[in-house]
Amino acid sequence: MLYFSQLKGKKVITTEHIFLGVLQDILFLGTDTPIVTEMAVRKTNGEKMYLPVETIQHTNHVVTVHRDFTPIEPKENELSVMQNLMDRQIIDIKGNKVVRVNDVAIQDKLGKAWYIAGVDIGLRGILRWLNLEKAVIPFYKITRLESHPHFLSWVDFEPLELEKGKVQLKKDVDALEKLRPEDLADYLEQTNIRNVNKVMSQLDEEYAADVIEDLNVNFQSALFRRFTPEKAAKLIELIDPEDAVDILLTLPKEKRKDILKVLPEKKQKKLIALLKISGTQIGHLITTDFVHMKPTASVQDAFSIIREKAKNIEFTYYVYVLNDTDQLVGVINIAELFRKNPGTIISDFMQQDMVVVHLTTPLSIAIKRMLKYKIYALPVVDNAKQMLGILRFNDVAEDLLEEL
Amino acid sequence: MRKIFKRFRRKLLLILAVVGPGIITAFADNDAGGVATYFVSASKFGYSMLTITIPMTIVLAVTQEIGSRMAVVTGKGLGDLIREKYSIKVSLVVFFFLFLVNFAVIMQDIGGMKDALGLFNLNPYIFLPVVLAVLFIFITKASYKKIEYFFLFLILFYIAYFVSAILAKPDWGLVAKSLVVPQGPISFSYLFTAIAVLGTTITAWGQFFINSYVKDKKLTPDKLSYNQWEVYFGSFLTDIFSLFMMVAVIATLFVNGIQIEGAADAALAITPFAGEMAKYLFGLGLFVAGFIGAAIVPLTTAYAFSEFFGYEGSLDVDFSSSKLFYLFFIVQVVLAMLIVLLPNVTLFKFALYASFLNGIFLPVIFIFLYRFANDVEIMGHYKNNTFQNLLLIASSIVVTIASLIGIVGIFLGLS
């Protein structure tokens, strides 16, 4: 790891010991992987020169570049450490001030491209600029005050905001826990599973369980696949048993067993019992007639398909989007089609995070989901996400009524 | 007619919305140290000292206006701008000096409160800690609005000086004449004192404070012109009161040839001429001046700290989410109080240190102010025009010379 404070102001020389100037700034790409592209060198005549990072041979008390260097022009989308990062105010998702950037850390693994690893926001970042870091470390050891650098990693930032001159944190756990679990679940469903997993790992367990209950089933399933059996078991314990069964049913058998094994005996028995009665309960209710199309179809195509199918299908509230291997990839409410231009492609606006059921899903859970999300028919998929049919609200209601 | 009234009412509401920063900062410049300086200089030079009032008002108005405009346009304080433009090392040095200067001023103000308590025969060892504790609880618990109203309310106490001046029955004709033409010989000693007066009114912390405070008020650029007038009005009002302070002393002490050493001195010396009442009014005025200073100057340091190093800092959030901000506030006040309460500590020394440090520091602040106010990247089309720049440069030169002479004076033992 290299710090910007250790680079700035260093002399830049060639392998033949010709003095070029003083390192002033570092440019990088404002993307998910912030690769360092160039360094800005101020020549003795005051002019600025940009050298590609690849020309750097090694850095110690000076920065040595290859003798055959060619200066280049910085590209438009590049950000600068001095202008976009150093000394900037870091704000959290709600715009509160958190701290300022005291130093910038650069990952300089040998033989690999340099990239911005993150920023130092601690006192050590300040001390490093004053060349006092080493002098103060023994003091830290005695007082046990701040033994490690306070560090924010690049993944915590919004790269897009950076371009606008704002260093914004993606999330602030303290702030998140003040949200209602269902709001946080909504927010998390907008992001990807990696992010969800990361946030989950920072929340306290009871709150995390509440959030998980409110996540849609795909996220629930994906999360539990990532959790260790121990962690999964802890959460399962906190979640309402019926929801827990629901989640367990979406998991591969092996994983399910592993989780059940680490549960306390009482809970384990109860869940196993619930899992048994959940059997295949909805098989007899599935309707295999449904409107489906390819993601590449246009709105106009969609209308002609519906017109054709409507002749022998009575339930046409939703259109399901299947890929070439018949996997369910999206769903569209028909009303939505009327709001789009005829030329718009289906995949541009289809709902991708769907609420689905499996053959193994208990009826009571299926109807709960329909009510919760106000959906009149749920797609039924198998473990390979292939669509088997739909489960209609009126069918489920009828079945439940008969049982009464 | 109704239309005119409606328009007037809307304007009035707009003006009321921006009231605060300019007036409060300007009045805080007349803190305990300021009051003492006015008294001492007026008792020494009499009516001719009044000539300083108009130039002082202009310099104060110009420098404060630039500071508040910067805050409205950028939404940033002086500390924010220095950190973002000049990075860590410069920020550390500037903050260190600001802390020292402010600490000296805080000691001066708390010392002023101690002397005022003495005038009322109240034991400072009991009352000073109590008053400051109440101040701290109020600052941490109350909302920005309430704190602002409280400061504005405190300013009413300066009317004490207004009443004192009337009670003293001065020669108002001579007062008016002195405003324009100095009524007496212009000696080196006179110039030195005039400049010292200027130096206690235009302060480094004042420049930081107006910035942070306007920023905290979150005014938008469309209210800029109202804000400007508020700042001008604040400077004007403050100096009216400075004038009355000096007049009250001149009409009693100066005409009877009595010279004093400090503010509490003045209150005691004035009693034979203007009565017991005047003594208590002076005491009350000094106490409030010290109190405003003791509240605002440590706030300035706390604001600057949160700006330089990026922590959340605002009067608008409560203690738990702005811990460092309030911690900075309390540490300064408590430390200053402990030192002031030590036996055998005289205020006079702090006044010297404070003006000495302020003297070195202020020119640096003006350089920053000039650079930022002329930076298009920062100020856009709100940057200084030529006239504003000329005024700023002239003011800086005057204040810089003032501070330098002040320092020389300290070494020569003139003051």
Side-chain angles (χ1 to χ4, degrees), chain A residues 86-89 96-102 121 125-126 129-130, chain B residues 80 83-84 87-89 92 215 306-313:
Chain A
M86 249 332 275
D87 298 315
R88 297 296 115 174
Q89 179 77 58
N96 295 321
K97 286 162 66 169
V98 183
V99 74
R100 277 187 191 277
V101 176
N102 290 337
I121 54 170
I126 294 177
W129 284 97
L130 307 172
Chain B
D80 289 317
R83 171 73 194 259
E84 281 169 22
S87 205
I88 288 172
K89 286 183 199 170
L92 279 171
K215 179 192 74 174
S306 73
E307 285 170 15
F308 277 126
F309 304 108
Y311 293 92
E312 184 66 63

Side-chain angles (χ1 to χ4, degrees), chain B residues 148-278:
Chain B
E148 186 163 72
Y149 288 149
F150 178 64
F151 281 144
L152 288 170
F153 167 72
L154 280 183
I155 283 167
L156 289 179
F157 282 93
Y158 279 88
I159 291 173
Y161 293 115
F162 182 77
V163 178
S164 310
I166 308 262
L167 284 180
K169 301 196 185 71
D171 178 349
W172 290 108
L174 198 54
V175 170
K177 243 191 262 172
S178 312
L179 275 179
V180 195
V181 188
Q183 304 291 311
I186 296 172
S187 58
F188 175 76
S189 158
Y190 169 79
L191 275 179
F192 168 72
T193 312
I195 276 162
V197 171
L198 200 65
T200 67
T201 308
I202 322 291
T203 56
W205 67 260
Q207 287 307 319
F208 273 91
F209 183 74
I210 185 124
N211 231 273
S212 314
Y213 196 64
V214 170
K215 179 192 74 174
D216 213 359
K217 202 174 165 90
K218 301 184 183 77
L219 290 176
T220 45
D222 58 292
K223 296 209 182 70
L224 193 61
S225 60
Y226 294 99
N227 176 251
Q228 279 171 332
W229 284 109
E230 197 257 348
V231 171
Y232 293 149
F233 180 70
S235 307
F236 173 74
L237 204 63
T238 302
D239 285 346
I240 294 261
F241 280 99
S242 311
L243 183 71
F244 282 119
M245 283 179 213
M246 290 193 273
V247 167
V249 170
I250 290 165
T252 49
L253 303 182
F254 172 73
V255 289
N256 289 295
I258 298 170
Q259 276 200 25
I260 45 158
E261 294 289 326
D265 256 15
L268 291 174
I270 205 172
T271 323
F273 309 104
E276 273 299 282
M277 181 69 180

